Structure formats: C-alpha cells, structure tokens
Amino acid sequence: MVAAGFQRIALGVEYKGSRYCGWQRQRSGVPTVQEMLEKALSKVADSPISLLCAGRTDAGVHASGQVVHFDTRVERSLKAWVMGANINLPHDISVTWAKVMPAHFHARFKAVARRYRYVIYNDPIRPAHLAEEVTWIYRPLDIERMRQAAEYLLGSHDFTAFRAGQCQAKSPLKTIHHLHLTQHGKMLVLDIRANAFLHHMVRNIAGVLITIGTGQRPVTWLKDVLDGRCRGAGGVTADPFGLYLVRVEYPAEFDLPQRYLGPHFLSALPDVVADA
C-alpha cells in the first residue's frame, strides 16, 4: 500500500541489456538497468526514487515491455516523468509511458502473465548486425521438430528441469499458456506466455528446443527432460542475447497502456507483432 502523502506511479520501460549486468541494482557497483533508471528518475523528482519491477531480467537480456512502479511525494506531470527520465537516460534505456496507479497496484505481485520472445538468427555465417540482439545458431534448425517438442510444455507442469540452480522461486509449478515458433527468412522467433517464469526458464527451454532442432536429440527428449525434473539432464542454457521481455499482463482494472509487441526490428512482420 502507499504511505500517506505519496502516490504510486507505474512506468513502461524498454531497454537493450547488452551493456548491463541485469535489471537488479548490485552492491558491486556494476552497471544495471535499475540503477540507471533510478538515477534518471531521481533527477526528475529532485529526490531519491526506488523502483520495483515486474520481472528481473538477467545480464544481456532485453525488454520492450517491462513494467515498474515507485512511490513519491513529488508532483510531476506524467509527460514530465517520461520525457524527463529519457533526457537523463543512456541511449539504450527508454521510458515509454507513465500512469498514476491505485494504492494496491504492484508491478510484480499483481501481474497475472508474462510474455517473452527469443529471437534466433539461423545461418552458417554469424551476423555482423544485431549481434547482441539475436542468438546466432550456425547449424540448420528444423522448426517442425521444435514445434512438436514444444507441445509437451503447454499447460501446468513442474519445471524443475528448466530452472537455474540459484532460482529463488517458492514453487517450480508454472502454467505455459502458449509457445509459438515462427520462421521469417533466417530468423526464428520463439514466443512464450505463462503465468510466471523461473530463473533461466525461457533460456533453458530454448536450449532444449535448439538441441532438438539441430537433430542432436529426438523430439521426445523434451518430455524426458520435463518428466525427469533434473536440471542436469536439460542440456545447455541458451545465450541471453536473443531474449526479450515483451509484455506483462495485469487485471483489467489497472488499464495499463499497451504498445505493440517488440522487439523493434520485428515490427515490419505483422504475423510476429500480432498479439496472438
């Protein structure tokens, strides 16, 4: 809840995570998205601002639909929060909208679903462009095999085999609502929506699907990994470069602004951008 005299502000945020050691501020002083954003907003407020986010992304991971909130006594227009923050932010972080929220809103705990996209560039030659914004796979990928394997993940399961060893989630039980794979020339987009995700869950799923797509394992291997509930059996964790948090969903009462789904370089592909 919001203390007396304060108001709660929610922001939409997008960033390229390549230069940062993840979202969360760290004691070691390494650059993080949270630190940069708090510094920029504190300049706008002329007082310290502390942020809470919908999902803490790892080092190298990007976002086009992150949601954060903070409480403040300071009176600023919504435009001032957006434009003022952006003036003080580096080129790879942007605030996209601001909204005054009711006291019971919470960016993390009120979220009902989260959606990620993992973008793979599949070609024998590594790309010179977008090198930190896609994951390069040089072996040919069979998307149909990957789609067949992905079917095993739909619904509610124990995702212990897909969580990082340092994951702090209380339960490995999560529900995947959809997992789509689409191909666009040399790019393959994995689009996944769930009620919540474990630490490294999307990257571990991508790693297993890539292994199956390259023919190194059979389609049914994914089910064996899932049922085995052992992280050690799940293969490698895919690189962070192609991963984007593209949307966080909340109950309709909060009526948060919605932008098109990212990342930006996919915006010319209607079947990728569409909110399927």
Side-chain angles (χ1 to χ4, degrees):
M1 302 298 289
V2 181
F6 285 75
Q7 64 177 348
R8 180 156 293 179
I9 307 291
L11 303 175
V13 184
E14 60 185 32
Y15 49 85
K16 178 180 176 181
S18 306
R19 294 196 305 130
Y20 303 102
C21 296
W23 159 266
Q24 190 170 10
R25 186 193 322 109
Q26 300 182 31
R27 293 180 181 178
S28 60
V30 297
T32 67
V33 178
Q34 181 181 11
E35 178 189 10
M36 295 296 178
L37 191 54
E38 286 178 344
K39 285 181 177 179
L41 290 166
S42 296
K43 289 181 179 179
V44 178
D46 197 25
S47 63
I49 294 292
S50 180
L51 295 170
L52 291 168
C53 74
R56 292 176 292 183
T57 52
D58 294 331
V61 175
H62 320 294
S64 59
Q66 177 71 275
V67 176
V68 306
H69 83 258
F70 63 93
D71 296 339
T72 182
R73 292 179 180 271
V74 175
E75 293 290 339
R76 298 285 187 272
S77 69
L78 295 179
K79 182 177 180 180
W81 286 120
V82 174
M83 303 307 293
N86 287 337
I87 288 172
N88 290 289
L89 282 168
H91 68 278
D92 46 9
I93 305 174
S94 294
V95 174
T96 57
W97 54 262
K99 185 175 181 180
V100 178
M101 301 304 295
H104 63 288
F105 174 81
H106 193 287
R108 178 183 175 190
F109 296 122
K110 288 299 182 179
V112 296
R114 293 166 178 84
R115 187 169 175 178
Y116 284 85
R117 282 177 168 169
Y118 193 85
V119 184
I120 298 167
Y121 183 85
N122 190 207
D123 190 73
I125 307 300
R126 62 178 172 82
H129 305 289
L130 300 177
E132 296 177 326
E133 297 173 62
V134 297
T135 289
W136 171 51
I137 302 296
Y138 68 89
R139 293 189 178 98
L141 291 171
D142 186 330
I143 191 172
E144 290 305 322
R145 285 170 54 86
M146 297 170 73
R147 285 172 174 159
Q148 291 172 32
E151 291 291 325
Y152 291 117
L153 296 172
L154 298 177
S156 299
H157 301 283
D158 181 329
F159 284 96
T160 296
F162 296 93
R163 72 188 299 183
Q166 64 270 38
C167 181
Q168 299 177 359
K170 294 180 180 179
S171 171
L173 300 177
K174 304 299 174 189
T175 301
I176 292 183
H177 303 301
H178 79 227
L179 202 173
H180 303 312
L181 288 127
T182 56
Q183 194 160 14
H184 311 274
K186 297 182 183 297
M187 284 192 184
L188 189 154
V189 180
L190 186 161
D191 187 314
I192 182 169
R193 176 179 176 267
N195 65 328
F197 290 90
L198 303 167
H199 190 198
H200 284 177
M201 181 172 160
V202 178
R203 290 170 59 190
N204 289 334
I205 287 173
V208 169
L209 290 176
I210 289 168
T211 301
I212 292 170
T214 57
Q216 298 174 77
R217 292 279 191 165
V219 169
T220 54
W221 179 58
L222 190 146
K223 186 177 188 303
D224 295 338
V225 171
L226 180 66
D227 293 344
R229 300 179 184 178
C230 174
R231 174 65 204 129
V236 300
T237 300
D239 290 332
F241 315 118
L243 183 58
Y244 296 78
L245 173 60
V246 298
R247 179 160 292 172
V248 185
E249 299 176 25
Y250 296 91
E253 63 171 303
F254 296 122
D255 192 28
L256 294 184
Q258 295 291 339
R259 284 164 57 86
Y260 62 85
L261 292 166
H264 290 298
F265 59 84
L266 297 179
S267 62
L269 303 172
D271 49 341
V272 175
V273 176
D275 190 8

